[in-house]
């Protein structure tokens, strides 16, 4: 037991190093390469007349920080969704939460006088909540159970509905379509740190709930009957975990747009390395999710210079084959 904990602690330490390396690479690579000396100087002796310092402070550092926050949040949300539904194919993107957040943001842009990025936050959270409620209603069985296949089908249906509604509104309002096109594809570029500030309390609440519910999430994996035998209420645990997923996924969509598959891929990677204990699984998901999105963002900048490919497209290129593999393995 002790050796296992030591190995996992070493693994998390290596994960931190990988994330830091990806962060530094993301900050320094791009159309204008930044040297380590310039990076250090911009942090300690900022000079607004130096182009490298301006790029670092206004573009590279906020971009990398947003990638870390969004990647970690989506990965944790995906792991919790897979635990709640006991479905290895579950993730915020596949079960409609991201699509619901996207639709409500499109409504805010097209039909309401909400045109500031900060206003997208509350629209995205409301959309995530509505989408989650619809999936619960559609997938609930007669005895109150949630069969994995029904949950997946309900998520696919809700996703298709909200995506269709979003496309319809954007076709009608071409001006709004142009303003949110790059956001819909998923991107961490052009995000200012002032946009992150109102979201920090939400991320903080979600992380606090994660810490408090780790033991309950482990019990939930044993089945609802086992949870009841341990003196816990499965419905309450699922409700609180669902709130965490909505906060993390909705805030991530508001911040970076539609970035899929991070919540699907990373939990499986983390389980293969750290096991199913959420005390290790959730920190591992945060580190691996942040690293994956940082690396995907680096690839999006270097693939077709000087143009950038939206990072949501890069994660889809990685995630689609993985999803097909998981689906085929489930059928086997």
């Amino acid at each position: 037991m002790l050796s296992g904990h030591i190995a996992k602690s070493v693994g998390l330490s290596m994960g931190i190093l990988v994330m830091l390396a990806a962060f530094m690479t993301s900050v320094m690579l791009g159309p204008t390469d930044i040297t380590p000396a310039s990076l250090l100087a911009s942090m300690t002796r900022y000079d607004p007349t130096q182009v490298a310092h301006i790029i670092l402070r206004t573009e590279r550092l906020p971009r990398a920080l947003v990638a870390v926050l969004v990647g970690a949040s989506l990965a944790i949300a995906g792991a919790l969704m897979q635990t709640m539904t006991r479905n290895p194919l579950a993730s915020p993107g596949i079960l409609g939460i991201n699509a619901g957040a996207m639709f409500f943001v499109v409504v805010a842009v097209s039909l309401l006088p909400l045109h500031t990025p900060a206003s997208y936050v509350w629209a995205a959270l409301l959309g995530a909540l509505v989408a989650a409620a619809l999936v619960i209603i559609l997938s609930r069985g007669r005895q109150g159970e949630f069969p994995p296949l029904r949950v997946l089908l309900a998520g696919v249906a809700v996703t298709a509905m909200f995506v269709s509604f979003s496309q319809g509104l954007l076709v009608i309002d071409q001006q709004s379509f142009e303003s949110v096109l790059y956001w819909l594809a998923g991107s961490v570029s052009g995000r200012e740190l002032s946009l992150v500030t109102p979201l920090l309390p939400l991320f903080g609440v979600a992380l606090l709930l994660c810490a408090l519910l780790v033991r309950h999430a482990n019990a939930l994996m044993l089945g609802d009957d086992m949870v009841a035998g341990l003196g816990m209420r499965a419905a309450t645990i699922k409700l609180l975990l669902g709130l965490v997923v909505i906060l993390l996924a909705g805030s991530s969509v508001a911040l970076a747009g539609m970035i899929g598959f991070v919540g699907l891929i990373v939990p499986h990677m983390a389980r293969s390395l750290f096991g199913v204990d959420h005390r290790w699984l959730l920190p591992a998901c945060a580190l691996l999710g942040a690293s994956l999105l940082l690396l995907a963002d680096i690839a999006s900048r270097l693939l077709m210079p000087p143009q950038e490919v939206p990072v949501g497209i890069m994660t889809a290129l990685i995630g689609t084959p993985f999803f097909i593999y998981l689906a085929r393995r489930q059928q086997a």
Side-chain angles (χ1 to χ4, degrees):
M1 180 68 70
L2 183 60
S3 61
H5 285 178
I6 293 175
K8 290 177 181 179
S9 298
V10 172
L12 287 181
S13 299
M14 293 179 63
I16 292 173
L17 293 177
V18 169
M19 189 197 71
L20 291 175
F23 186 92
M24 296 296 293
T25 304
S26 176
V27 168
M28 290 189 292
L29 287 185
T32 302
D33 289 337
I34 305 296
T35 64
S38 297
L39 174 60
L40 180 61
S42 70
M43 300 301 296
T44 57
R45 300 185 306 277
Y46 178 68
D47 184 357
T49 63
Q50 295 288 328
V51 174
H53 291 196
I54 296 173
I55 292 174
L56 281 167
R57 284 291 189 93
T58 61
E59 170 62 21
R60 299 282 180 84
L61 283 173
R63 181 173 188 158
L65 290 172
V66 169
V68 168
L69 190 60
V70 171
S73 298
L74 291 176
I76 293 174
L80 293 178
M81 288 200 72
Q82 291 169 12
T83 298
M84 290 166 53
T85 61
R86 301 188 189 94
N87 186 346
L89 300 179
S91 74
I94 294 173
L95 295 190
I97 291 180
N98 287 0
M102 176 190 72
F103 171 67
F104 274 66
V105 170
V106 171
V107 169
V109 173
S110 301
L111 304 180
L112 301 177
L114 301 176
H115 300 287
T116 61
S119 64
Y120 297 169
V121 173
W122 310 112
L125 289 174
L126 180 59
L129 179 62
V130 171
L134 285 175
V135 171
I136 291 173
I137 293 171
L138 293 175
S139 61
R140 184 182 177 88
R142 293 182 179 179
Q143 305 300 323
E145 75 282 4
F146 295 93
L149 181 58
R150 291 187 62 172
V151 173
L152 182 61
L153 292 175
V156 170
V158 169
T159 298
M161 180 184 70
F162 280 129
V163 169
S164 298
F165 287 168
S166 301
Q167 291 173 342
L169 284 176
L170 291 173
V171 167
I172 293 172
D173 189 348
Q174 294 291 332
Q175 184 176 359
S176 297
F177 179 76
E178 294 175 359
S179 65
V180 299
L181 177 60
Y182 205 75
W183 177 85
L184 290 175
S187 175
V188 294
S189 67
R191 305 305 194 261
E192 298 179 357
L193 290 181
S194 59
L195 180 60
V196 181
T197 304
L199 293 172
L200 291 179
L202 301 179
F203 286 116
V205 170
L207 292 178
L208 177 61
L209 286 174
C210 281
L212 295 175
L213 295 171
V214 165
R215 184 171 62 91
H216 302 79
N218 285 337
L220 193 63
M221 296 178 61
L222 303 175
D224 292 356
D225 293 338
M226 184 64 71
V227 172
L230 294 173
M232 306 176 188
R233 297 187 60 182
T236 302
I237 296 173
K238 291 179 180 179
L239 179 63
L240 292 173
L241 291 178
L243 176 62
V244 173
V245 170
I246 290 170
L247 289 174
L248 292 176
S251 299
S252 297
V253 172
L255 194 57
M258 295 291 291
I259 297 177
F261 292 104
V262 174
L264 174 66
I265 300 171
V266 174
H268 289 277
M269 297 170 57
R271 286 191 191 94
S272 67
L273 296 172
F274 294 89
V276 297
D277 188 342
H278 287 74
R279 292 176 299 174
W280 301 98
L281 177 64
L282 295 183
C285 283
L287 293 173
L288 292 174
S291 300
L292 176 63
L293 198 56
L294 283 168
L295 294 174
D297 184 46
I298 294 169
S300 72
R301 278 179 267 170
L302 302 180
L303 187 63
M304 299 173 57
Q307 294 183 336
E308 290 188 10
V309 177
V311 71
I313 295 177
M314 297 301 301
T315 58
L317 289 174
I318 300 170
T320 300
F322 189 82
F323 178 77
I324 295 172
Y325 164 74
L326 286 177
R328 289 179 63 88
R329 192 175 70 175
Q330 286 296 109
Q331 294 175 356

